[in-house]
Amino acid sequence: MAARRNASGSRFNKNPLTLALATALMFPLGVVHAQDATEEDSQESTEEAAPTNTSTLDAVTVTGSRIAKSTFNSVSPIQVIPREESTVAGFNSTAGLLQSNAVTGGSDQINNAYGGYVVNGGPGVNTLSLRGLGPTRSLLLVNGRRLSPSGSRGAVGSVDLNTLPNIMVEHVEVLKDGASAIYGSDAVAGVVNVVTKSKFDGVAVEFQTNATQNGGGLETRWGTLFGTSGDKWRVSGSLEIYDRQEVTMGDRDWASDCPRPLLGRDDATGRYGADDYIDPTTGEPKCWGLDAGGVTINTLGTQYLLGRPGLGSLGYYGTYDPDNMPPGGFDYFNRWRPNASVTDGDLPGYEGVDLEGRTTYDPTMKRESLISPTTNVTGFLQGSMDLGVMGDAEAYFEALITRRESEQTGYLQHTVDYAVGSPLLGDLSWLPRMSAAPADGSTNGLPIAARAFIGWGLYGNRQTIDFGRYTAGLRGDLGSSWSYDGYLSYGRSDADYYTDNRLTDRIAKSYDVVSDGNGGFVCRDTSDGCVAAPVLSADVVAGNLSQAYRNYIMQETHGSTIYEEETAAFGVSGPLFDIPFGGTVAAAFGVEYRGMEIDDTPDINSINSNLYGFTSSTPTRGEDSVKEAYAEFEIPLLSGLPGAQELTFNLSGRYTDYDSYGSDDTWKLGMLWTPVDWLSLRASRGTSFRAPALFEQFLGASSGFANQSGDPCNDWGNATDTNSNTYLNCSSLGLPPNFNATNSITVYTQGGAETGLSAETSEAVTAGLVFQPEFGDGFGDLSFAADYFSIEVKNGVARLSGAQVLALCYGQSQAEFTAGSGYCSLVQRAANNSLTVTTGYINVARDKVRGWDFTTRYARDIGQGRFVANLAVTSFLEQGGQTLPSVEYKDYSGTIGAPELTGQLDLNYTIRNWRVRYGLDWVGSVESYSYYEKYDGVDYRPTYQMAIDDYFLHNLSLKYTGDDWSVTGGIRNVADKDPPVVSTGAYTTIGNAPLYSGYDYFGRTFFLNFSKEF
């Protein structure tokens, strides 16, 4: 009878080969501990010096090929990570493992620290980006079959790692090489295959908790694994609940300490912050809590009026010299802060403040989410039955079902606009129109006399996402040597997302008031329970708003997103013929069909642009389908000869036909040469074809806001290059030289289907060697691998940011700028100098990454135990791109967020039932000065802190394995290392820490894992 297949289609005998030994044959990366691949009653004897699980290997299918082989040797580098490695490293989820530097090589990942940012897949999503090329270019498989996207809002296009099981996982295979010819679209930067346990009899339970020393972020996971089997059938599954509590800004000192610009370097100490503004009210550097100082709270805006300067405020004239001020110590201000001691001037009860003197920090901000909370419930069920017909056919099925409930807490600034002559102005009814504020829709089309900038407080987002993928298939033998596998799969993500939003129409109604006859005001129209806006007062400016008013204008909005994907695939594989002095030529052929559909329906208030100060969007609806055919050939040209222990070529090709973008073909050629037993050389070259994701094609028009500091004309008069197009174009607008924008930039984004968006292509090259010398008894086993990689994406799909569009517009010639042509056709400047930018998805010139992966493994017996060391280092030689052919190509490798060097070191010692592990994660030093000096000709060294030293995280763990149970405990981030510090004006930061997934935000964390089999 044929050997029973595992869930990924591989054929294993009853006792599979340990993954560690299989990996050592080709050594892609450190699998450091011999572990039975199925973990079925495989406890090592306590009398043995080291684990000795062994078995016989039949044909297996390794990620990166459709052809089953009797070894793990491959023309492409493959990293195999058993689940035990994830447990002893302290990861409490498969998402945590996949987003670690061990898999990503230091590329930034979208994780739960991005809850307050607009990301593809919506808040709370976790995605995987290999080589830094983005989630849509990284393919994720479960048991060799692609997992469909999941998430919320209109930009769903990648797998959400929250949908993956944990206790059911046997190991993870990572192919960091382009493989579109094997797997189709998305496999541009690489492939990750999550392989589940193929067979399990009995019941196992597992509990793990990760507790942070500094509070918040407690992770708990309860899981159960179950299975049973008969002579011709088997079924197994798992159910687990993962819960992570919130980490707030206030839970971490480095995040709750208010961010500082860190301007100016002290030459004596080398520290930055010498030029930071010192707040005279505290004697400490100014705290910029809102958008790095882009907005204000507890401040009143008016036309320029005479008033007393607040402590440290310069006013319109920018000086304290009374000779340069109006008489009496007054000055002109258009921003004011309540101060009851001021009894004269145009605004008694208010003191004048300037840009640096205004209030920007509210202690409530400490309650914002740093790491957002989530609860994931995951169920997995798989089974098979031998039918005894159709070539010893086996019918199989899989079902993966998850629910994610996540939420995020953010902080809002609110504005109350008072129209000229409005009774709500109270004693300030005489205020003239603000020159910087035009007629505003929220005040029913009337010009604004005053604007109160108020700290609203906290608001919430929450999501509920139900995901399911269901697969049924049939596999068997065609004759004695060929096999077939065909399956149908259906995936569906059904999301509901909720956000606390202020509604523009309700705000407008609250301004339309009449007297209530008691000295107060009520809404003219009370049909929907309207509550009048507050009368302007110092108390209101201080943020004290009635709860009735808050409840009226703030409503929970609800949108829904459905993403569906259906797949039908059929493939055959087997031997073709034998080659003299070589081996058996094998082949695989197959066809595949995929249909995808997205339907995102935002809240009606979002569709109607009725959300005040928040992103609005219209429905995203579209569908696409693809038909593909592939062929792969494995050609062992030479075998067992002097100078050619093995010489194998692999050739694959795929024809792809998208309903949306037409057809193309991709190919890949690989070679593995082993001249002597201790040395192997491998190389590959291939192409990829990726049609844009559905959201890239059909994203409904959405609106967002960028900080006003992004206006190209801010302080244009002080520019050093007075001949630049930006200087000349800003000058032509008649703006004062010291102009500073006071309104956020509105950015509209839309899909590219209507603008001629086309598919992207890419080319990938790898070349490497595997060195496994034999030093004789006593020295131990040493393996070394070095693999070069180069991936270049051409005609790639990307979205121009609003800042890029503005730079391209203002960088045009004066003639083009004045005419409003070219990129300026996408930019509008209103009468109050507020900017509106329209952008979307386009085909860009290229993205490129190049570098090396180095891996070393050393193992030897020491005393009665076994010592194993693994070292993995990724070195990027290039990480660059350009948005348009007309824009200079820029290499950003080595800058903050894109390190050139990252590494991981694992040291393990196993003796009888005990295993101790030390782990070191390393992110190399980074700096951005060279980047700006090279491309912009500006040396920012004296101005901004834009350099970070080498960053190290130390981890320790200890595991004890009993007869049918095990316990693992340890510490992650033993030294309680904080994230590094940079200037807020240079990068997106949390506090002064750069927003980058390679740095730890949790701090010292203790973990405990307990498992038991019954």
Side-chain angles (χ1 to χ4, degrees):
M1 181 176 177
R4 206 173 290 276
R5 300 171 181 84
N6 75 351
S8 63
S10 305
R11 287 173 174 265
F12 285 94
N13 283 337
K14 184 176 181 180
N15 295 313
L17 182 68
T18 60
L19 290 173
L21 294 177
T23 305
L25 293 175
M26 56 167 292
F27 193 72
L29 182 72
V31 176
V32 300
H33 179 59
Q35 174 180 335
D36 186 82
T38 59
E39 297 183 348
E40 50 185 22
D41 46 64
S42 61
Q43 301 303 321
E44 298 83 18
S45 169
T46 58
E47 297 179 358
E48 295 175 339
T52 58
N53 293 340
T54 59
S55 60
T56 303
L57 179 68
D58 204 340
V60 297
T61 301
V62 180
T63 300
S65 175
R66 300 280 188 177
I67 300 173
K69 297 177 286 292
S70 60
T71 72
F72 269 69
N73 284 2
S74 171
V75 299
S76 299
I78 301 170
Q79 175 183 1
V80 182
I81 307 175
R83 180 175 180 270
E84 185 187 6
E85 304 307 310
S86 172
T87 301
V88 297
F91 295 113
N92 206 350
S93 67
T94 305
L97 168 66
L98 294 182
Q99 290 189 327
S100 67
N101 284 345
V103 174
T104 66
S107 299
D108 193 23
Q109 308 297 309
I110 299 300
N111 58 23
N112 296 287
Y114 283 77
Y117 297 84
V118 178
V119 297
N120 294 340
V125 74
N126 284 244
T127 56
L128 177 66
S129 171
L130 297 175
R131 304 298 192 201
L133 290 176
T136 58
R137 295 172 181 158
S138 303
L139 179 62
L140 198 146
L141 311 173
V142 173
N143 294 326
R145 292 173 285 272
R146 66 172 56 233
L147 195 62
S148 55
S150 177
S152 61
R153 303 185 182 269
V156 175
S158 304
V159 171
D160 181 5
L161 303 181
N162 289 296
T163 61
L164 294 172
N166 190 306
I167 190 174
M168 193 70 190
V169 174
E170 178 183 274
H171 67 272
V172 174
E173 300 169 359
V174 183
L175 173 69
K176 296 183 181 180
D177 184 16
S180 287
I182 303 295
Y183 295 107
S185 187
D186 307 344
V188 174
V191 181
V192 170
N193 185 23
V194 178
V195 181
T196 61
K197 293 177 172 64
S198 59
K199 181 181 178 181
F200 183 81
D201 286 312
V203 176
V205 294
E206 184 175 274
F207 168 76
Q208 180 164 335
T209 183
N210 291 41
T212 66
Q213 175 175 294
N214 300 310
L218 177 68
E219 295 178 88
T220 57
R221 179 175 53 82
W222 297 87
T224 180
L225 175 66
F226 53 87
T228 186
S229 62
D231 290 339
K232 294 186 177 182
W233 61 272
R234 59 189 169 89
V235 63
S236 59
S238 64
L239 177 66
E240 51 197 327
I241 301 174
Y242 168 82
D243 180 81
R244 183 187 60 249
Q245 297 179 7
E246 180 182 41
V247 179
T248 67
M249 296 289 189
D251 288 332
R252 298 293 178 270
D253 290 341
W254 59 266
S256 60
D257 289 343
C258 203
R260 295 171 47 194
L262 295 179
L263 299 176
R265 181 179 59 192
D266 187 323
D267 293 333
T269 63
R271 296 180 179 177
Y272 283 84
D275 296 336
D276 282 358
Y277 174 76
I278 301 300
D279 189 337
T281 62
T282 64
E284 300 291 331
K286 175 71 175 182
C287 171
W288 300 102
L290 285 169
D291 297 337
V295 290
T296 181
I297 58 174
N298 305 338
T299 305
L300 179 66
T302 67
Q303 175 61 283
Y304 277 105
L305 302 170
L306 280 173
R308 297 286 185 185
L311 189 61
S313 296
L314 299 179
Y316 180 82
Y317 290 98
T319 177
Y320 286 114
D321 185 356
D323 294 336
N324 294 323
M325 294 185 187
F330 292 100
D331 203 345
Y332 284 103
F333 294 90
N334 67 350
R335 293 292 184 269
W336 309 85
R337 184 165 50 208
N339 185 343
S341 66
V342 176
T343 58
D344 51 6
D346 290 337
L347 281 181
Y350 292 87
E351 64 181 18
V353 294
D354 58 8
L355 177 68
E356 293 181 317
R358 61 201 170 121
T359 303
T360 61
Y361 181 69
D362 183 341
T364 306
M365 296 174 187
K366 292 186 178 183
R367 293 161 55 193
E368 289 186 89
S369 297
L370 171 60
I371 303 293
S372 61
T374 188
T375 299
N376 303 334
V377 180
T378 304
F380 186 87
L381 187 66
Q382 63 182 7
S384 66
M385 175 177 288
D386 291 337
L387 302 180
V389 296
M390 299 177 63
D392 192 23
E394 180 186 53
Y396 63 91
F397 75 90
E398 285 180 7
L400 171 63
I401 303 173
T402 69
R403 162 167 278 212
R404 166 163 66 93
E405 296 180 355
S406 52
E407 60 185 57
Q408 304 80 36
T409 301
Y411 183 89
L412 282 177
Q413 176 219 43
H414 183 61
T415 57
V416 179
D417 291 339
Y418 295 91
V420 172
S422 169
L424 295 174
L425 283 168
D427 294 338
L428 300 179
S429 60
W430 56 268
L431 285 174
R433 170 178 175 167
M434 293 174 61
S435 60
D440 188 279
S442 63
T443 55
N444 304 303
L446 300 175
I448 298 172
R451 170 170 289 175
F453 298 90
I454 297 169
W456 176 276
L458 303 176
Y459 78 101
N461 282 316
R462 61 186 180 94
Q463 307 82 36
T464 300
I465 302 176
D466 294 306
F467 173 80
R469 191 197 71 163
Y470 313 93
T471 301
L474 189 69
R475 55 194 171 210
D477 297 325
L478 297 172
S480 60
S481 54
W482 280 72
S483 63
Y484 67 89
D485 188 350
Y487 69 90
L488 300 174
S489 182
Y490 172 74
R492 177 185 173 100
S493 171
D494 194 340
D496 290 284
Y497 53 95
Y498 305 83
T499 304
D500 295 334
N501 272 304
R502 296 156 296 169
L503 303 185
T504 302
D505 60 349
R506 291 197 170 201
I507 292 174
K509 286 187 67 175
S510 73
Y511 292 141
D512 186 11
V513 298
V514 295
S515 173
D516 65 358
N518 296 313
F521 300 95
V522 295
C523 296
R524 189 182 304 275
D525 179 2
T526 59
S527 58
D528 62 351
C530 178
V531 176
V535 176
L536 178 59
S537 68
D539 197 45
V540 168
V541 174
N544 297 313
L545 304 172
S546 73
Q547 193 60 48
Y549 171 73
R550 288 172 173 268
N551 292 342
Y552 173 67
I553 68 171
M554 175 75 87
Q555 300 291 309
E556 185 177 69
T557 57
H558 168 222
S560 63
T561 309
I562 297 175
Y563 192 103
E564 296 178 286
E565 183 170 287
E566 53 190 23
T567 303
F570 181 81
V572 298
S573 64
L576 292 176
F577 54 85
D578 294 335
I579 296 178
F581 308 109
T584 301
V585 176
F589 306 95
V591 293
E592 184 172 323
Y593 167 84
R594 269 192 337 274
M596 302 80 71
E597 183 175 0
I598 189 172
D599 185 346
D600 174 64
T601 304
D603 188 271
I604 187 62
N605 291 288
S606 178
I607 296 173
N608 294 335
S609 297
N610 194 36
L611 305 182
Y612 186 72
F614 203 82
T615 299
S616 295
S617 57
T618 57
T620 297
R621 297 187 178 117
E623 59 184 48
D624 202 357
S625 64
V626 57
K627 297 179 285 291
E628 298 179 291
Y630 66 86
E632 181 186 0
F633 300 91
E634 185 94 356
I635 308 170
L637 196 60
L638 298 173
S639 177
L641 299 176
Q645 295 298 309
E646 180 180 1
L647 178 60
T648 299
F649 290 90
N650 182 281
L651 175 63
S652 57
R654 176 177 289 254
Y655 175 79
T656 303
D657 185 7
Y658 272 91
D659 181 59
S660 56
Y661 294 102
S663 61
D664 202 348
D665 53 73
T666 56
W667 58 268
K668 184 176 181 179
L669 175 64
M671 179 272 293
L672 175 68
W673 175 36
T674 304
V676 291
D677 290 340
W678 47 268
L679 178 65
S680 293
L681 304 174
R682 58 193 178 199
S684 68
R685 183 171 184 171
T687 61
S688 295
F689 168 86
R690 187 186 79 88
L694 291 180
F695 76 89
E696 293 170 331
Q697 301 179 52
F698 304 110
L699 183 68
S702 61
S703 66
F705 300 91
N707 193 282
Q708 56 262 43
S709 62
D711 191 322
C713 292
N714 280 336
D715 203 26
W716 64 271
N718 290 323
T720 56
D721 186 0
T722 58
N723 293 317
S724 69
N725 285 338
T726 299
Y727 180 93
L728 297 173
N729 290 330
C730 291
S731 175
S732 70
L733 294 174
L735 300 171
N738 63 345
F739 168 78
N740 274 285
T742 58
N743 295 282
S744 297
I745 301 169
T746 303
V747 181
Y748 291 99
T749 304
Q750 58 190 8
E754 297 180 357
T755 58
L757 191 67
S758 61
E760 65 182 28
T761 60
S762 63
E763 184 173 291
V765 175
T766 64
L769 62 85
V770 181
F771 179 62
Q772 301 178 88
E774 297 180 1
F775 295 101
D777 296 338
F779 180 82
D781 301 323
L782 175 67
S783 299
F784 172 79
D787 288 286
Y788 170 82
F789 61 86
S790 175
I791 304 174
E792 183 171 6
V793 178
K794 302 175 182 177
N795 204 39
V797 177
R799 180 177 66 87
L800 283 181
S801 68
Q804 289 172 318
V805 173
L806 285 170
L808 291 168
C809 167
Y810 280 79
Q812 292 183 158
S813 68
Q814 281 193 277
E816 292 174 307
F817 181 83
T818 303
S821 58
Y823 298 107
C824 286
S825 64
L826 304 175
V827 178
Q828 291 182 327
R829 184 178 288 273
N832 70 329
N833 287 311
S834 63
L835 289 170
T836 300
V837 181
T838 301
T839 184
Y841 290 93
I842 65 169
N843 290 102
V844 300
R846 60 173 173 154
D847 292 297
K848 187 175 182 180
V849 293
R850 291 190 304 117
W852 286 88
D853 287 326
F854 301 100
T855 54
T856 302
R857 178 182 186 272
Y858 176 70
R860 65 165 297 177
D861 295 333
I862 299 178
Q864 296 185 2
R866 181 113 176 131
F867 171 76
V868 181
N870 282 299
L871 174 66
V873 174
T874 296
S875 173
F876 279 99
L877 303 175
E878 185 176 359
Q879 301 177 75
Q882 60 187 140
T883 53
L884 295 166
S886 58
V887 177
E888 181 183 9
Y889 173 85
K890 295 183 178 181
D891 178 11
Y892 49 84
S893 186
T895 62
I896 296 173
E900 288 182 349
L901 293 167
T902 58
Q904 303 81 41
L905 173 66
D906 290 322
L907 303 178
N908 296 264
Y909 185 69
T910 304
I911 179 169
R912 297 187 177 90
N913 299 71
W914 295 90
R915 175 183 177 183
V916 60
R917 173 189 181 271
Y918 165 76
L920 174 67
D921 294 331
W922 166 54
V923 177
S925 61
V926 291
E927 57 88 14
S928 299
Y929 302 120
S930 301
Y931 174 89
Y932 287 105
E933 192 170 8
K934 176 180 179 181
Y935 295 112
D936 297 340
V938 179
D939 183 6
Y940 284 119
R941 286 175 179 83
T943 308
Y944 296 107
Q945 181 165 329
M946 301 168 63
I948 298 172
D949 293 334
D950 294 282
Y951 182 83
F952 298 97
L953 290 176
H954 306 271
N955 310 300
L956 286 173
S957 65
L958 179 67
K959 179 178 182 179
Y960 179 83
T961 302
D963 292 338
D964 55 9
W965 62 276
S966 67
V967 61
T968 304
I971 308 173
R972 292 188 58 80
N973 193 354
V974 173
D976 199 20
K977 178 79 170 180
D978 287 340
V981 170
V982 296
S983 294
T984 56
Y987 283 92
T988 301
T989 60
I990 298 177
N992 275 103
L995 182 62
Y996 168 61
S997 61
Y999 301 133
D1000 180 55
Y1001 293 161
F1002 285 93
R1004 183 180 294 123
T1005 301
F1006 304 91
F1007 65 90
L1008 178 68
N1009 178 286
F1010 175 80
S1011 64
K1012 166 76 173 172
E1013 292 186 11
F1014 301 93

